[in-house]
């Protein structure tokens, strides 16, 4: 994905190929949201009128860059995790031993396939929080981009949650299902902050 053009990646996304799919799209949305946070920081840092926010912006920039790279990696990982589940379902099941091995492989694959979008959800929540952190000190000329970052991260979070859920329902281990669901619910709390950021920015733009 790092060497693929946007046009080629979108063509693959639109094709009959099973991957990239919704999970990869969620990861890319999170990466774009983090990139927007970086852009706002870069257009604020170094300008005298925002000196009092310089330290916060520099810290946020470093964090946004880390999150962008992590989200991009997760978008790539999603296709691999999905392929693992598909491969597990194709394992032979002629004997009881083969059936048991196949079931175990499927369950392990489902846990891994849920773990990737769960990580995307976590990253998305962190981007939302970072958007809130830079809101007050951002260059007003790019204030709308703070809201777009929060909005894109919220979309990524919701999309990732759907991809977690579709794998979790097929996981037989109740404790594992509960762990995944609990972690996801924690990340989903950031949606409230994303909506608040968008509302604040909308009011300032219209004022």
């Amino acid at each position: 994905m790092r060497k693929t053009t946007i046009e080629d990646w979108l063509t693959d996304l639109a094709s009959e190929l099973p991957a990239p799919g919704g999970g990869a799209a969620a990861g890319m949305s999170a990466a774009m949201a983090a990139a927007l946070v970086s852009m706002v920081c870069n257009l604020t840092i170094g300008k005298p009128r925002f000196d009092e926010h310089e330290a916060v912006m520099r810290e946020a920039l470093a964090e946004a860059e880390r999150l962008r790279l992590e989200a991009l990696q997760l978008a790539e990982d999603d296709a691999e995790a999905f392929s693992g589940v598909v491969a597990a379902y194709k394992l032979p099941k002629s004997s009881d031993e083969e059936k048991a091995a196949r079931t175990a492989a499927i369950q392990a694959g489902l846990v891994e396939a849920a773990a990737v979008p769960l990580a995307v959800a976590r990253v998305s929540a962190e981007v939302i929080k970072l958007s809130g952190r830079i809101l007050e000190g951002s260059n007003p000329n790019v204030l709308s981009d703070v809201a777009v970052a929060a909005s894109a991260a919220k979309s990524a979070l919701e999309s990732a949650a759907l991809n977690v859920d579709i794998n979790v329902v097929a996981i037989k281990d109740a404790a594992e299902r509960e762990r995944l669901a609990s972690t996801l619910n924690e990340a989903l709390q950031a949606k409230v902050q994303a909506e608040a950021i968008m509302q604040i920015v909308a009011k300032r733009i219209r004022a």
Side-chain angles (χ1 to χ4, degrees):
M1 287 178 62
R2 298 169 191 270
K3 297 180 181 180
T4 303
T5 66
I6 293 175
E7 183 177 2
D8 286 345
W9 186 78
L10 289 174
T11 298
D12 287 342
L13 187 64
S15 74
E16 74 282 1
L17 297 172
M28 288 298 287
S29 293
M32 289 189 293
L36 280 169
V37 171
S38 292
M39 185 195 78
V40 171
C41 291
N42 280 319
L43 288 170
T44 305
I45 291 170
K47 294 183 169 51
R49 60 185 291 202
F50 308 120
D51 277 349
E52 63 180 301
H53 304 292
E54 183 87 3
V56 170
M57 289 295 169
R58 289 191 178 279
E59 291 174 3
L61 175 60
E63 182 67 5
E65 288 298 284
R66 182 188 69 78
L67 291 171
R68 177 166 63 90
L69 293 176
E70 185 175 356
L72 181 58
Q73 183 61 55
L74 289 168
E76 295 177 346
D77 292 345
D78 184 81
E80 295 180 15
F82 179 79
S83 298
V85 175
V86 172
Y89 273 106
K90 292 180 179 179
L91 290 173
K93 49 181 177 178
S94 300
S95 65
D96 289 341
E97 290 77 11
E98 287 181 345
K99 289 178 181 178
R102 177 176 177 273
T103 297
I106 290 172
Q107 289 299 305
L110 288 169
V111 171
E112 178 60 26
V116 175
L118 184 63
V120 173
R122 174 186 53 77
V123 168
S124 301
E126 290 183 31
V127 173
I128 290 170
K129 294 173 184 176
L130 203 56
S131 300
R133 187 178 174 191
I134 67 170
L135 180 59
E136 291 306 316
S138 296
N139 183 333
N141 292 326
V142 285
L143 183 61
S144 62
D145 294 291
V146 180
V148 175
S151 178
K154 178 175 177 285
S155 176
L157 175 53
E158 293 171 333
S159 300
L162 289 169
N163 283 278
V164 173
D165 289 342
I166 199 168
N167 289 291
V168 166
V169 295
I171 294 174
K172 297 179 179 179
D173 187 330
E176 188 64 33
R177 287 200 310 270
E178 177 59 30
R179 182 188 70 80
L180 291 167
S182 176
T183 304
L184 178 59
N185 286 335
E186 184 177 345
L188 285 170
Q189 302 307 308
K191 289 171 56 178
V192 175
Q193 183 177 10
E195 291 165 358
I197 291 168
M198 290 184 282
Q199 289 174 2
I200 290 171
V201 171
K203 288 181 180 179
R204 291 184 183 178
I205 290 173
R206 296 164 185 162

